[in-house]
């Protein structure tokens, strides 16, 4: 087993009962002043130790809170220096908005569970001055923070106070001190993952027999559509000089994409949880941006895609379910025929969402086929023979919209074809689905 201290951030609204929201606003303005002061002194060439001591001694916060704010600001500057050769800009000063206040538990803030089961908060906006009340949030998050407060296996850590969506919110981090994640070497099911600009394809293969147990393609075309809409809005605002509104639009876009990716990552992990001892296998795309050069418009589209963000969310949620993750070389996974008797690799094999092997005629949904090849690459990485594969079962295709998951049927040919079906159709014909699974040839 792999031991790792996993941290999760829980978001709560604040029902204030003692003190005033104005005190929280003033505290975040002071946090902004601290952050901007650190940046100013760095520009003037101060030593970082002197910056730390000077700013902490002259702030109006609880001392430990100011120390956390200074550390965060210095970390931003350190990141800038590490990447300035790549044209990263120096952190800009906050002018029109407050800055989140970071606090340690039992110092800048404290949480307790009262006799009625409510989780009460106390925020020290300055020494010996408090704002108190009750946390509001989802039942799941409230249960998690209660468990963290009452269990020696958990630790309540740093929180951030933010003003968002017209209310004050507390983002609380909780850490499981010795959370165990299974080793990829012990996995029974290998789940190949292919992340694209409009969908994520998943294929589960039995490690021992090579059987393709199930497949699904989860579409999230709304992300691509909405990002293009926001890009158009920003361009028009820039043209007429509405820079303030441009910032608001950029924030709305970020929040939409972030929320949508979280929902997709939950759908992925819910689907993966049905299999025995799975390992999630991704394509290693860390150098993808350097290899992309398809012209200005296409480069902008592909460079802005949230590949890494979605992988990070899926991996993180999987780790909480004790599911390990791994990565493989993505070379030719979208072009190679998955049939082990063929393995013909040619760029012309793929056209949009259709894959048709020019050598053997195999047809499939291109993204699901790529997920199969990702799983096969993992077998190679483990120094194991790629198990014999001749045909694939039908793949379910579901579409996630802003309001949730919906279903859509789409067919993909008859020659060596698995085709695509909606979730409901697959559930209503289990015998047919089972027969197709059995056509995947086991290793000899």
């Amino acid at each position: 087993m792999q031991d790792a201290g996993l941290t999760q951030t829980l978001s709560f609204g604040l029902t204030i009962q003692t003190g005033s929201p104005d005190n929280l606003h003033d505290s975040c303005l002071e946090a902004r002043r601290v952050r901007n002061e650190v940046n100013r002194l760095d520009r003037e060439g101060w030593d970082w130790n002197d910056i730390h001591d000077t700013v902490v001694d002259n702030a109006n916060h609880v001392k430990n809170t100011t120390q956390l704010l200074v550390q965060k600001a210095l970390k931003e500057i350190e990141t800038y220096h590490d990447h300035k050769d790549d044209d990263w800009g120096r952190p800009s000063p906050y002018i029109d908005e407050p800055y989140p206040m970071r606090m340690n538990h039992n110092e800048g803030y404290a949480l307790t569970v009262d006799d009625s089961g409510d989780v009460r908060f106390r925020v020290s906006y300055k020494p010996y001055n408090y704002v108190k009340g009750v946390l509001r949030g989802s039942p799941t998050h409230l249960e998690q923070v209660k468990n963290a407060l009452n269990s020696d296996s958990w630790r309540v850590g740093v929180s951030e106070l933010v003003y968002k969506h017209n209310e004050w919110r507390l983002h609380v981090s909780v850490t499981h001190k010795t959370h165990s994640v299974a080793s990829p070497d012990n996995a029974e099911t290998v789940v190949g993952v292919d992340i694209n600009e409009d969908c994520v394809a998943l294929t589960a293969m039995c490690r021992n027999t090579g059987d393709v147990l199930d497949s699904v393609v989860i579409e999230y075309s709304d992300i691509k559509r909405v990002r293009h809409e926001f890009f158009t809005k920003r361009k028009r605002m820039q043209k007429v000089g509405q820079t303030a509104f441009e910032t608001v639009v950029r924030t709305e876009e970020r929040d939409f994409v972030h929320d949508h990716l979280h929902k997709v990552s939950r759908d992925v992990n819910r689907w993966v949880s049905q299999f025995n001892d799975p390992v999630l296998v991704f394509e290693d795309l860390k150098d993808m941006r350097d290899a992309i050069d398809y012209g200005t418009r296409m480069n902008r589209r592909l460079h802005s895609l949230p590949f890494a963000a979605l992988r990070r969310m899926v991996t993180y949620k999987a780790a909480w379910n004790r599911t390990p993750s791994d990565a493989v070389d993505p070379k030719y996974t979208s072009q190679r025929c998955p049939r082990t008797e063929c393995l013909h690799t040619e760029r012309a094999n793929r056209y949009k969402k259709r894959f048709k092997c020019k050598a053997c005629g195999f047809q499939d949904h291109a993204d699901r086929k790529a997920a199969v090849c990702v799983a096969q690459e993992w077998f190679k990485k483990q120094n194991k023979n790629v198990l014999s594969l001749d045909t694939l079962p039908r793949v379910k295709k579901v579409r996630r919209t802003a309001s949730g998951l919906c279903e859509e049927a789409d067919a993909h040919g008859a020659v060596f074809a698995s085709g695509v079906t909606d979730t409901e159709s697959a559930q209503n014909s289990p015998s047919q689905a089972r027969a197709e699974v059995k056509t995947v040839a086991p290793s000899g």
Side-chain angles (χ1 to χ4, degrees):
M1 304 291 284
Q2 300 172 329
D3 291 333
L6 291 179
T7 300
Q8 187 171 16
T9 300
L10 312 176
S11 181
F12 301 100
L14 303 184
T15 299
I16 298 173
Q17 298 174 336
T18 303
S20 169
D22 292 340
N23 295 329
L24 301 181
H25 178 73
D26 292 344
S27 185
C28 286
L29 291 182
E30 174 67 2
R32 183 179 72 185
R33 187 193 69 80
V34 167
R35 191 264 188 187
N36 290 343
E37 187 71 0
V38 171
N39 279 272
R40 183 184 69 81
L41 296 177
D42 176 70
R43 286 192 184 93
E44 295 179 3
W46 281 49
D47 180 85
W48 282 12
N49 290 328
D50 293 337
I51 292 176
H52 180 279
D53 295 341
T54 301
V55 175
V56 169
D57 290 341
N58 290 278
N60 292 325
H61 282 144
V62 174
K63 184 174 183 179
N64 182 267
T65 296
T66 308
Q67 290 173 340
L68 290 177
L69 290 168
V70 172
Q71 290 170 9
K72 181 178 179 180
L74 291 175
K75 183 63 177 177
E76 291 176 353
I77 297 172
E78 181 182 5
T79 301
Y80 155 70
H81 285 296
D82 289 343
H83 297 279
K84 61 183 178 182
D85 292 338
D86 299 326
D87 296 327
W88 278 44
R90 177 181 284 275
S92 301
Y94 274 65
I95 299 175
D96 299 319
E97 55 185 301
Y99 192 70
M101 187 170 69
R102 291 174 65 85
M103 304 166 288
N104 269 333
H105 191 237
N106 290 327
E107 292 177 323
Y109 82 109
L111 300 179
T112 56
V113 181
D114 63 19
D115 294 338
S116 65
D118 290 334
V119 181
R120 307 194 67 82
F121 71 88
R122 184 205 71 205
V123 173
S124 303
Y125 62 92
K126 62 174 62 175
Y128 309 111
N129 290 270
Y130 308 117
V131 173
K132 300 179 181 179
V134 177
L135 295 185
R136 303 189 320 274
S138 71
T140 300
H141 282 188
L142 288 169
E143 190 64 31
Q144 285 179 280
V145 78
K146 290 178 187 179
N147 186 49
L149 289 168
N150 296 323
S151 172
D152 292 336
S153 300
W154 291 80
R155 179 178 69 252
V156 179
V158 174
S159 76
E160 285 198 346
L161 176 71
V162 299
Y163 189 73
K164 189 173 184 180
H165 303 313
N166 298 319
E167 68 169 348
W168 287 101
R169 301 194 65 83
L170 199 64
H171 296 169
V172 181
S173 66
V174 294
T175 301
H176 195 289
K177 299 176 183 177
T178 56
H179 189 91
S180 296
V181 178
S183 170
D185 295 335
N186 299 327
E188 292 184 18
T189 308
V190 182
V191 180
V193 184
D194 183 59
I195 299 176
N196 302 274
E197 64 174 331
D198 57 357
C199 71
V200 55
L202 306 163
T203 297
M205 297 181 68
C206 177
R207 182 174 183 175
N208 295 324
T209 66
D211 287 352
V212 176
L213 305 177
D214 200 1
S215 298
V216 70
V217 175
I218 301 174
E219 293 188 333
Y220 43 83
S221 54
D222 277 355
I223 293 180
K224 177 182 174 182
R225 175 183 58 79
V226 171
R227 292 190 79 159
H228 179 70
E229 291 176 359
F230 278 115
F231 174 77
T232 303
K233 289 180 182 179
R234 293 199 306 273
K235 293 293 289 184
R236 291 174 178 173
M237 290 177 180
Q238 291 169 357
K239 189 173 182 179
V240 298
Q242 295 180 344
T243 55
F245 288 105
E246 179 194 347
T247 303
V248 173
V249 169
R250 191 181 297 275
T251 300
E252 291 177 356
E253 176 190 5
R254 179 196 63 202
D255 291 346
F256 173 85
V257 173
H258 183 78
D259 177 69
H260 217 58
L261 290 180
H262 266 299
K263 292 174 180 176
V264 172
S265 64
R266 285 199 295 269
D267 293 337
V268 169
N269 277 285
R270 188 180 300 116
W271 186 85
V272 171
S273 66
Q274 65 183 297
F275 303 105
N276 294 328
D277 298 327
V279 56
L280 283 164
V281 183
F282 298 86
E283 294 176 306
D284 187 353
L285 300 176
K286 62 183 179 182
D287 297 323
M288 181 189 70
R289 292 183 180 226
D290 297 334
I292 289 177
D293 188 12
Y294 300 133
T296 302
R297 185 173 180 274
M298 183 60 71
N299 286 352
R300 175 186 62 80
R301 260 181 58 191
L302 296 180
H303 285 171
S304 65
L305 292 175
F307 294 120
L310 180 55
R311 175 181 170 180
R312 185 165 57 249
M313 291 180 186
V314 171
T315 301
Y316 184 79
K317 290 178 173 62
W320 276 96
N321 294 330
R322 306 185 184 276
T323 300
S325 303
D326 206 348
V328 296
D329 187 349
K331 193 173 183 180
Y332 303 127
T333 53
S334 65
Q335 302 176 21
R336 186 176 68 244
C337 178
R339 296 182 65 236
T340 48
E341 294 181 0
C342 179
L343 300 180
H344 175 68
T345 302
E346 183 180 347
R347 188 171 183 177
N349 283 347
R350 174 168 181 161
Y351 178 71
K352 295 183 178 179
K353 295 297 182 182
R354 168 89 63 179
F355 180 90
K356 182 175 181 179
C357 180
K358 296 297 183 181
C360 70
F362 174 89
Q363 296 185 52
D364 195 20
H365 187 290
D367 297 326
R368 192 280 287 273
K369 191 283 312 176
V372 173
C373 289
V374 169
Q376 291 175 329
E377 286 295 321
W378 189 83
F379 284 109
K380 292 181 183 178
K381 181 179 177 180
Q382 296 294 107
N383 295 320
K384 295 182 179 295
N385 293 328
V386 177
L387 300 170
S388 178
L389 181 65
D390 186 38
T391 60
L392 299 175
R394 295 180 67 86
V395 59
K396 294 186 292 292
K397 179 179 171 184
V398 295
R399 175 172 295 172
R400 168 163 280 288
T401 66
S403 60
L405 286 175
C406 63
E407 300 166 353
E408 175 183 329
D410 189 13
H412 281 258
V415 181
F416 291 117
S418 59
V420 178
T421 185
D422 67 351
T423 305
E424 184 178 1
S425 298
Q427 291 172 343
N428 291 340
S429 56
S431 59
Q432 179 185 2
R434 186 64 241 171
E436 289 168 339
V437 171
K438 290 180 179 179
T439 63
V440 180
S443 58

